[in-house]
Amino acid sequence: MNAKTLISLAALAALSPLTMNSHAAAAAAPEAATAATSARQPITRADQLPRRTVTLAKLPSEYLSAPLSELSAMGAQLETEVKADLARYDIQDAATLRAYYSALATLAQLRGDWAAVPAWTAKSRALQEKIGGQLSAGLLTDLLSQQRLEKRDAAWLRTEVEKRYGALPWADVQESIKSGKGGAETYNPELVLGAFRSQVDAMATNGKMVVPESIALAIISSRLQAELFAPNKAAIVAGLQAVIDANTKTQARADLWTPRTFAIPAEAKATPVVVAVWDSGVDLNLFKPATPRGLAFDVDSQPSPHLLRPLGEAEARWPQLRGMLKGAMDQRAALDTPDSRQFRAAMSSLKADQVKAFSEDVSLASVYVHGTHVAGIAVEGNPFARVYAGTQLWSVKLDPQLPTEARAKATAASYGQMVAGFKQAGVRVVNMSWRYGPSAYEVALAFHNAGGSPEARKAEAARLFKIERDALRAAIASAPDIVFVAGSGNEDNSADFQEYIPAGLDLPNLITVGAVDTAGQETSFSTFGKTVVVHANGFEVDSLVPGGVRMKLSGTSMASPQVANLAAKLIALKPALKAAEVKALILQGAERMKGADGQPGRVNLIHPRKSAELAGLKL
């Protein structure tokens, strides 16, 4: 979960099936290094990249129905800048390079240079670090370009989608195919238009029609959706569905996760352990609460009495909102349920003027269930766990708040107060399934046309973020007897390049967790990096939501509390353990999984039973 509700260009891009983690037969070799490489400026962090703007002639939403020719000058400017960056900088981050090459593929499509597209998608695919992406990224872009180049019809495309996707190893690409099919099926031009009108137009208006380059690329990508994808939506969905149907009887991969877990019997000789869920709020009626029950802060980082977010006027609509959220999750998993059918119908029939309210409803439903779902995972199988709610009532509004020094200092103070509350309540384990970085503030400043030039805005965002980062680090460090556990993030990127908190912090009492599925394979979304030291199941994890209904959700938000769960069980069974000892037991018990090449990879899967045995516990 992102702690900041802000404009998300990634979310805008996700509306486009053109960006789906599609499938390709092979990966091209990376571009050979040249002597010129050494002369390029090394880029090891996102904040080292330049920030630039584009001046628009009309509102962003108006470009979505404009002739492609009206976007040509904008596309030419972007293409020149992207290529200049690649020539000038030695960008040492695969995710960033993939984005650059994908942008060049999009800009080649805008120019109608269909033959050039596969070379760019191949470069991007060669930089994929997960098996699904290595096999699959960019195929839909290639197929749509080939269709235009060869003047093929939708029937041809449907056949090619089924043939090329179906030729890939199902075990490695099923997650991508299912989620891609769901995204394609719910594509609605009105949804894209509404997102632009409610967010991007406001940013452009505030900035007097001067917007970040990323907005210009989002405009072009979204305009190409209407040109390339919309006429072929039915064919693409049918082709993907055929692949899914053909694999319905495929044997599932072995479950490595469940046999590793254990539950503490109610009659065991164990000690109550207080587990804090630092999140969006917890329905403590579903758990054994700690004393005191928790501490909450509102959107302005001021104390609040609400440990579970009040739904307000949406309370009467909660059953429908919960069903919509479940439908979104079922759709992502390619499950044909009443909830997923209702979700598809709602998405496909949404009108532009309904998008903002719909998006804020989805945001409200997400934050309402998130903390309770996390808490259920954190205490599963532990009758000695007592839940403390560390509640942050983050905004669910699409329009971001203006970042200021006063707000940053208030947030920083709340971090110290929250951890002080943990210590006072005798908390031993804290789960933090949230993260954000300076880029969140940079986007918010751009939305409000604040902070000066793009480079000055970058510096101001970094300054404000540093106030909060340093306060959080100091707060966690001040509680060495507490084990803190954080989710790495769901952006499939490197936390070494894009700074996040708390995931990017390196402290002796903090563990950052990536997500795998039950077979131990890294999920397509999991963020990685040096601070991501262990992994746990974070795919389709079943847990409680407010009111007691159960729901399956995915994310590193669901992987992190699996580790908190283990930490709490170790402490319940052996309360004398120090935080550093608990962390060591978790790391020592983890198993380094082999990658696609048969060599030890970056997935370090926790093994709860083995960690318990290392602690001298008999299960």
Side-chain angles (χ1 to χ4, degrees), residues 24 26-30 101 105 116-128 137-138 142:
Y101 293 140
V117 171
W120 293 122
T121 58
K123 283 180 175 291
S124 178
R125 184 164 55 251
L127 292 165
Q128 290 286 337
D142 288 349

Side-chain angles (χ1 to χ4, degrees), residues 145-163:
S145 299
Q146 184 180 350
Q147 182 194 37
R148 279 300 182 97
L149 180 65
E150 299 178 3
K151 297 181 172 55
R152 303 281 192 169
D153 60 14
W156 172 88
L157 182 62
R158 186 240 181 266
T159 299
E160 288 299 308
V161 166
E162 181 178 359
K163 181 174 70 175

Side-chain angles (χ1 to χ4, degrees), residues 533-558:
V533 293
V534 293
H535 293 75
N537 179 35
F539 188 73
E540 292 292 292
V541 181
D542 185 61
S543 185
L544 296 161
V545 300
V549 175
R550 300 191 72 89
M551 186 181 295
K552 290 182 178 181
L553 299 178
S554 298
T556 58
S557 286
M558 285 67 245

Side-chain angles (χ1 to χ4, degrees), residues 306-512:
H306 301 295
L307 297 179
L308 177 65
R309 171 181 291 276
L311 286 173
E313 59 83 23
E315 188 164 2
R317 295 185 287 117
W318 170 238
Q320 291 76 28
L321 292 178
R322 185 183 63 215
M324 193 64 66
L325 185 62
K326 185 176 185 301
M329 296 300 103
D330 289 352
Q331 178 70 9
R332 175 178 173 176
L335 300 175
D336 188 20
T337 65
D339 288 320
S340 69
R341 289 193 289 272
Q342 182 181 356
F343 174 74
R344 290 196 297 270
M347 292 287 282
S348 61
S349 63
L350 207 63
K351 300 301 181 185
D353 60 1
Q354 300 171 318
V355 169
K356 186 170 186 178
F358 177 84
S359 298
E360 290 181 348
D361 269 356
V362 172
S363 180
L364 174 62
S366 297
V367 298
Y368 184 63
V369 308
H370 193 271
T372 302
H373 194 274
V374 165
I377 300 169
V379 303
E380 180 73 23
N382 187 355
F384 299 91
R386 306 293 183 263
V387 177
Y388 180 99
T391 298
Q392 300 280 172
L393 299 170
W394 294 305
S395 174
V396 297
K397 300 298 182 182
L398 289 185
D399 293 349
Q401 297 168 306
L402 174 64
T404 65
E405 183 171 327
R407 295 193 69 86
K409 288 182 176 179
T411 300
S414 73
Y415 289 159
Q417 294 168 47
M418 185 69 83
V419 174
F422 295 157
K423 291 188 282 189
Q424 182 181 0
V427 170
R428 296 296 308 277
V429 180
V430 177
N431 187 81
M432 300 180 289
S433 288
W434 50 270
R435 79 270 171 212
Y436 66 99
S439 60
Y441 288 150
E442 199 172 338
V443 173
L445 288 168
F447 179 89
H448 290 283
N449 193 29
S453 69
E455 290 295 332
R457 187 178 296 144
K458 177 175 69 174
E460 176 65 1
R463 185 182 74 85
L464 297 177
F465 174 74
K466 183 178 184 297
I467 294 171
E468 300 176 19
R469 180 198 64 204
D470 292 351
L472 182 61
R473 179 189 286 116
I476 295 174
S478 77
D481 295 330
I482 299 177
V483 179
F484 290 81
V485 186
S488 67
N490 303 321
E491 287 75 39
D492 184 26
N493 63 350
S494 172
D496 302 331
F497 191 79
Q498 295 280 354
E499 184 178 12
Y500 294 123
I501 57 171
L505 299 176
D506 186 6
L507 292 163
N509 59 331
L510 172 65
I511 305 173
T512 296

Side-chain angles (χ1 to χ4, degrees), residues 64-269:
L64 300 182
S65 57
L68 287 176
S69 58
E70 290 191 17
L71 286 79
S72 296
M74 187 191 311
Q77 177 183 340
L78 292 177
E79 190 163 11
T80 297
E81 297 289 3
V82 168
K83 289 181 176 179
D85 280 355
L86 290 171
R88 185 181 304 124
Y89 302 117
D90 176 17
I91 301 172
Q92 298 174 13
D93 179 66
T96 302
L97 282 173
R98 291 199 305 266
Y100 270 77
Y101 293 140
S102 295
L104 289 170
T106 297
L107 296 170
Q109 289 180 320
L110 177 63
R111 290 188 287 104
D113 189 358
W114 310 110
V117 171
W120 293 122
T121 58
K123 283 180 175 291
S124 178
R125 184 164 55 251
L127 292 165
Q128 290 286 337
E129 299 176 83
K130 298 175 182 177
I131 184 64
Q134 292 168 5
L135 293 167
S136 70
L139 179 58
L140 187 55
T141 301
D142 288 349
L143 286 174
L144 289 167
S145 299
Q146 184 180 350
Q147 182 194 37
R148 279 300 182 97
L149 180 65
E150 299 178 3
K151 297 181 172 55
R152 303 281 192 169
D153 60 14
W156 172 88
L157 182 62
R158 186 240 181 266
T159 299
E160 288 299 308
V161 166
E162 181 178 359
K163 181 174 70 175
R164 299 200 201 180
Y165 282 49
L168 297 171
W170 177 250
D172 294 324
V173 299
Q174 59 178 308
E175 181 186 340
S176 298
I177 291 178
K178 289 178 179 180
S179 62
K181 182 256 182 182
E185 195 166 11
T186 55
Y187 168 70
N188 176 359
E190 288 284 314
L191 182 60
V192 180
L193 179 61
F196 269 77
R197 285 179 176 171
S198 61
Q199 292 184 271
V200 189
D201 283 359
M203 175 186 275
T205 300
N206 292 342
K208 297 179 174 56
M209 308 307 285
V210 178
V211 299
E213 280 187 332
S214 53
I215 290 289
L217 183 60
I219 292 170
I220 292 171
S221 297
S222 298
R223 174 62 184 87
L224 284 169
Q225 290 177 47
E227 189 75 17
L228 301 176
F229 180 83
N232 292 297
K233 172 182 172 179
I236 292 167
V237 170
L240 294 174
Q241 186 63 59
V243 176
I244 293 170
D245 291 344
N247 287 281
T248 53
K249 296 182 180 180
T250 301
Q251 186 174 0
R253 287 175 293 177
D255 181 357
L256 299 181
W257 175 253
T258 305
R260 294 169 177 245
T261 63
F262 68 91
I264 302 177
E267 66 276 9
K269 292 183 179 180

